[in-house]
Structures are given as C-alpha cells and as structure tokens.
C-alpha cells in the first residue's frame, strides 16, 4: 500500500485527494478499501483535498504539523 506521505515511526500518513482521481463511484470505493487496509496496518490517515495545496498552502502545512504533533 502506498501513502502520499508517511511518517511510519509516528504511525501517521497524509493522502492528497484530487478530484480527477477520486470522485467517481469506483474510485471512491477503491479509496475506502485502500484506506481501511492502511489503517488496519496501524497508520492513521489525514486526507487533504489537492486544491487546498494551491489555494491555502500555509493552512495545509499547519494542519499537517498539528496532525503530526498530536
């Protein structure tokens, strides 16, 4: 299983979800199965909408930093 960003010692990962790859029913269903498999391995995921990286990068970085610190 591949995670967009992984901090294995912390048991945390970040997934960036873009509309082009995650909005149709089949992709959404596959994302749920993949997320469940990743979390079953003990990794907690934070999911970020890709458009936020461009529209509010500082807020995204702050959210990720808070997630990693918690």
């Amino acid at each position: 299983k591949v995670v967009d960003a992984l901090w294995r010692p912390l048991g945390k990962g970040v997934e960036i979800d873009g509309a082009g790859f995650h909005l149709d029913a089949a992709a959404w269903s596959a994302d749920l199965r993949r997320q469940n498999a990743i979390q079953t391995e003990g990794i907690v995921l934070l999911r970020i909408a890709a458009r936020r990286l461009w529209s509010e990068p500082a807020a995204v970085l702050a959210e990720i930093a808070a997630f990693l610190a918690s």
Side-chain angles (χ1 to χ4, degrees):
K1 292 144 204 83
V2 176
V3 178
D4 292 331
L6 177 64
W7 292 265
R8 189 171 296 281
L10 298 177
K12 295 181 179 186
V14 174
E15 283 289 290
I16 306 300
D17 296 327
F21 299 101
H22 299 277
L23 286 183
D24 69 61
W28 181 68
S29 180
D31 282 347
L32 292 177
R33 284 192 307 273
R34 193 169 149 273
Q35 178 174 326
N36 290 345
I38 290 166
Q39 291 189 162
T40 297
E41 293 182 11
I43 304 298
V44 178
L45 289 176
L46 180 69
R47 297 187 72 172
I48 305 286
R51 65 183 152 79
R52 289 187 60 215
L53 289 176
W54 309 112
S55 64
E56 49 182 305
V60 169
L61 289 175
E63 190 173 333
I64 292 170
F67 170 68
L68 294 174
S70 67

